[in-house]
Amino acid sequence: MRPPRLREGDTIALVAPAGPVPQALLDAALPVLRGWGVRVRVGAGGGCPQTEPRAI
């Protein structure tokens, strides 16, 4: 069984439970994901540097 493919307008979440993500890496990844037409939420306390979830 496979999940459905991502479509424009879908929301994905970025979390990094193993530890913090360097801000430069996060800054490089976000434009790529936005280019796919998806909305991105950066998880709070999941290893990403933000302290609260936010839509990007």
Side-chain angles (χ1 to χ4, degrees), residues 9-40:
D10 284 349
T11 300
I12 61 172
L14 291 181
V15 295
V21 174
Q23 188 66 46
L25 186 58
L26 186 61
D27 291 342
L30 292 174
V32 173
L33 296 170
R34 286 188 204 117
W36 295 351
V38 296
R39 296 184 308 166
V40 181

Side-chain angles (χ1 to χ4, degrees), residues 43-55:
C48 292
Q50 287 74 23
T51 57
E52 295 183 23
R54 61 186 177 111

